[in-house]
Amino acid sequence: MTKVALITGASSGFGLLTSVTLARRGWRVLATMRDLNRRGKLEESARVAGVLDRIEFLSLDVTNAEQIAELAATIAARPDPLDAVVNNAGFAMAGFAEDITDAELRQQFETNFFGVAAVTRAFLPQLRRQGAGHVVIISSITGRMGFPGVGSYVASKFALEGWAESLRLEMKPLGIQVVLVEPGSFETDIWSRNAILSAQTQDANSPNAARIARLLSSRESGKLKANPQVVADGIAAILDDPRPRLRYVFGWDAHLGLALKRLLPSRLLEWLLIKVSGIGA
Ligand SMILES: NC(=O)c1ccc[n+]([C@@H]2O[C@H](COP(=O)([O-])OP(=O)(O)OC[C@H]3O[C@@H](n4cnc5c(N)ncnc54)[C@H](OP(=O)(O)O)[C@@H]3O)[C@@H](O)[C@H]2O)c1
């Protein structure tokens, strides 16, 4: 029987590539996106790969509770099972913690944390009835260690990690597999089109203006542009595994970061992160 996966944020990056990758492997993909007018890139990639007929485009903003409930009801009413939910939609808010307002912090959590929780919760009843299914949550290396200038994003991913780790224990006895995917830096739209720089951080009078400028320029010069297809292939392999692990790390920089965190004394690690990011006073 054809397997069915629902993916959030499928208009670009990992979501787009995972949609095409799964479709190539014979899955039927419910590719959801907050703006269906942005489906062109996925449509074209799917057409080129010869899998357009296996992809259904559906509207879903993960911060819209009504839309989530409607979509879950629509999918549940269909005769096909739902084999996987891939919580991929997310964005990054950049700026020093001192400059980020409550509203901006909440905005970050609305998508990256509450959006994932709401979408997952909406589809769990169906997975529970089936007694099977995978819930994949795209976290990040920033869900395992802090980095300067992206504290809001880091916090949202740390929150996801704790939530997913607990959810996994609750769902395992029901046959539902909960998995965290933790990529390092990959070439997607996350730090270009979709990055949001907090308002005060853009203010030249911010006490952190010079430091954030150095941080952004060190990011620019040290950009690690890994191929995001690696993550899409990894997600497809996780979905094929009936007993996946809790965590999967992707990218050499993510593996290196975690190794340094494990091996270096914390003072040395902190010195290194401050030095590399150029934010020394
Ligand atoms: N790329 C990396 O280096 C990296 C590393 C670690 C983790 N991640 C994580 O990977 C996931 C995917 O990001 P990406 O790197 O593929 O970046 P991306 O190319 O910017 O894709 C993000 C996707 O999320 C969608 N999105 C944002 N807010 C949404 C909302 N409220 N409702 C529905 N969709 C929404 C975007 O839709 P629009 O097209 O409408 O903007 C876009 O399709 C994110 O969770 C991100 O945190 C990325």
Side-chain angles (χ1 to χ4, degrees):
M1 195 184 222
T2 305
K3 287 192 164 186
V4 180
L6 180 138
I7 303 179
T8 65
S11 54
S12 69
F14 296 146
L16 182 155
L17 291 171
T18 305
S19 299
V20 176
T21 303
L22 288 179
R24 289 178 86 136
R25 289 178 170 224
W27 286 69
R28 178 162 175 69
V29 177
L30 311 176
T32 74
M33 54 195 76
R34 60 180 163 178
D35 179 2
L36 281 176
N37 292 321
R38 290 193 30 76
R39 69 178 182 278
K41 215 169 134 192
L42 172 56
E43 219 165 35
E44 183 52 24
S45 305
R47 188 174 294 114
V48 168
V51 294
L52 189 53
D53 58 332
R54 295 200 199 122
I55 297 185
E56 184 177 354
F57 298 84
L58 295 159
S59 184
L60 182 67
D61 182 329
V62 301
T63 64
N64 184 330
E66 245 171 63
Q67 229 182 24
I68 294 172
E70 266 172 37
L71 184 63
T74 304
I75 305 298
R78 294 180 174 182
D80 331 310
L82 178 63
D83 299 283
V85 176
V86 180
N87 284 287
N88 164 75
F91 77 96
M93 170 82 67
F96 280 37
E98 190 182 8
D99 292 333
I100 301 250
T101 62
D102 274 353
E104 288 169 331
L105 192 52
R106 283 175 202 280
Q107 183 190 355
Q108 178 72 95
F109 269 72
E110 279 305 328
T111 299
N112 288 19
F113 179 73
F114 290 108
V116 172
V119 169
T120 303
R121 229 174 24 238
F123 290 98
L124 279 180
Q126 181 166 0
L127 303 187
R128 176 190 264 274
R129 276 194 300 279
Q130 296 168 184
H134 284 56
V135 175
V136 173
I137 294 174
I138 312 302
S139 174
S140 167
I141 173 65
T142 64
R144 301 280 291 283
M145 59 190 289
F147 293 92
V150 283
S152 312
Y153 180 65
V154 167
S156 71
K157 295 295 189 183
F158 262 68
L160 266 188
E161 293 267 334
W163 187 78
E165 199 170 315
S166 305
L167 181 70
R168 179 170 166 105
L169 299 173
E170 294 167 3
M171 291 300 131
K172 210 166 184 176
L174 308 179
I176 300 167
Q177 306 295 328
V178 177
V179 177
L180 283 160
V181 167
E182 301 170 333
S185 286
F186 286 85
E187 179 63 27
T188 67
D189 288 353
I190 194 162
W191 293 112
S192 49
R193 178 179 65 85
N194 274 333
I196 297 184
L197 198 58
S198 81
Q200 204 179 321
T201 300
Q202 298 176 63
D203 182 345
N205 295 321
S206 157
N208 295 308
R211 295 204 298 156
I212 198 87
R214 289 203 298 276
L215 174 70
L216 293 176
S217 87
S218 82
R219 277 256 164 82
E220 209 43 46
S221 59
K223 253 186 190 166
L224 306 154
K225 300 192 172 183
N227 182 352
Q229 183 60 46
V230 169
V231 177
D233 290 338
I235 294 169
I238 291 166
L239 295 184
D240 277 345
D241 186 342
R243 293 180 58 214
R245 298 194 309 268
L246 170 61
R247 292 189 165 86
Y248 290 82
V249 178
F250 293 100
W252 70 266
D253 55 332
H255 284 286
L256 177 65
L258 289 176
L260 291 176
K261 185 169 180 172
R262 200 169 52 245
L263 298 172
L264 292 184
S266 57
R267 279 189 195 172
L268 185 54
L269 179 65
E270 286 165 6
W271 176 85
L272 191 65
L273 288 172
I274 291 168
K275 183 85 186 158
V276 167
S277 57
I279 60 153

